[in-house]
Amino acid sequence: MSQFQSHHASHDREIESLDEFDRVVSQPGSLAHHRVQAVDLTGRTDALLAADPAGAVFLGCPMAPEAAARVRAAGALVFPPIPGLPFDPYRGRVYSPDELYARLDEGYEATPDALAYDWFQQTKADGDVFASMLRAVHDDAVSDALDELVAGSRVVGVMGGHAMARGTREYAGAARLGRELARAGLTVATGGGPGAMEAANLGAYAAPFDDGMLDDALMLLAKVPSFTQSIADWARSAFEVRARWPRGGASIGIPTWFYGHEPPNAFAAHIAKYFANATREDGLLARSTAGVVFLPGAAGTLQEIFDNATPNYYESRGEPTPMVLVDREHWTRTLPAWPLLQSLAKGRTMESRIALVDRIDEAPEALKRVGG
């Protein structure tokens, strides 16, 4: 059977850890047609020599030369690790804040997040087709991991601009919104960056604690209002909050290296970071199956509104999902997206799934009201 012939090689045939590998090889049967992603198999030579790997695919798995030769000869495909990269293109998991901000004590420039952005900038300028392929493989692996993460969850997106500063009334409101949505049993997903995105992820992080925790955290974060002066100081203050209140609530951030000036925030437990912004935008909105709340923003948030409106208009993803725009003045006068959205929705199913509210604290109720 070919590696690409249908054999139900879905997520149940993916191996993404040594524990999973050991379970598979200990059972009667074989590794046949499994996909092994970014697992260090240098200590599993005997198992690889004994297993039947016909049709298996090994993606970026270090292994002894004799093991690699044997599984290739037995019908497996082996994509070896790529040396010198600041990221793993075959990764089987989304990122964590600790992973992206490792070595932050040496400055932001030393972190894997900054090194990946530097690599992206250099290879994008070079126009290297091999680098383009690696970026595409990485982003597809991240999408696969994100799908596994959100399976069965009710995900609500919170969109908004990166310029919203800590210490402002708007930032506190976005944080309380994230907390209320998380307490309602929803999985909060944002663009994963600073500003309104960080605030919503912070709110979800604060959900398990008493209400005073968020007030105290907001005061601590206000000492470093923005990332623009020092990304390192901005990120460290978030890690200080996490250290003071460990084991907060989980949420998702979906940022991109395309916007290098927007570092990922540390309050999203799960970070699906992409190189391609178009893939990131579509993936974030498509996975927000419980609806999207749009806080005031600029061009990026405006784009997200109509990126979300298009599949709702055509019902290309099924029933339209709720869309709630927050701040009437902003969305009717400053950037008048609401009148256009209303005109677009008129007479269609999505007309009953859109809402405009004045204040952030009205958004959760509006989301329920237009949820169908």
Side-chain angles (χ1 to χ4, degrees), residues 124-149:
K124 184 175 66 171
D126 292 344
D128 183 354
V129 67
F130 180 57
S132 298
M133 183 197 76
L134 292 175
R135 293 197 296 268
V137 170
H138 168 274
D139 285 2
D140 193 66
V142 167
S143 289
D144 182 69
L146 185 57
D147 283 337
E148 294 176 14
L149 178 68

Side-chain angles (χ1 to χ4, degrees), residues 106-273:
E106 302 171 33
Y108 173 69
E109 297 75 16
T111 65
D113 186 65
L115 294 173
Y117 175 66
D118 289 344
W119 177 89
F120 175 43
Q121 289 297 99
Q122 178 183 333
T123 56
K124 184 175 66 171
D126 292 344
D128 183 354
V129 67
F130 180 57
S132 298
M133 183 197 76
L134 292 175
R135 293 197 296 268
V137 170
H138 168 274
D139 285 2
D140 193 66
V142 167
S143 289
D144 182 69
L146 185 57
D147 283 337
E148 294 176 14
L149 178 68
V150 302
S153 300
R154 297 174 61 226
V155 179
V156 60
V158 179
M159 313 299 163
H162 70 271
M164 184 184 287
R166 294 167 172 177
T168 62
R169 178 177 57 83
E170 292 78 12
Y171 184 95
R176 293 188 180 99
L177 170 65
R179 183 177 65 185
E180 184 168 348
L181 294 172
R183 286 178 173 175
L186 297 165
T187 298
V188 174
T190 78
M197 297 171 278
E198 181 189 52
N201 288 127
L202 166 64
Y205 186 90
F209 302 98
D210 62 46
D211 290 356
M213 174 270 174
L214 182 56
D215 294 335
D216 291 343
L218 290 168
M219 289 180 61
L220 288 172
L221 292 171
K223 296 175 183 177
V224 187
S226 173
F227 66 96
T228 54
Q229 297 300 313
S230 169
I231 294 176
D233 290 346
W234 175 81
R236 284 191 194 106
S237 64
F239 280 104
E240 287 171 12
V241 169
R242 288 182 40 185
R244 180 167 173 179
W245 293 281
R247 297 179 296 281
S251 64
I252 299 169
I254 307 182
T256 174
W257 280 292
F258 183 81
Y259 294 130
H261 63 286
E262 291 187 18
N265 78 73
F267 292 111
H270 310 289
I271 301 177
K273 190 153 191 180

Side-chain angles (χ1 to χ4, degrees), residues 321-336:
T321 52
M323 299 176 65
V324 177
L325 278 61
V326 176
D327 192 327
R328 190 177 304 272
E329 175 73 14
H330 186 83
W331 293 121
T332 61
R333 297 181 65 85
T334 307
L335 292 175

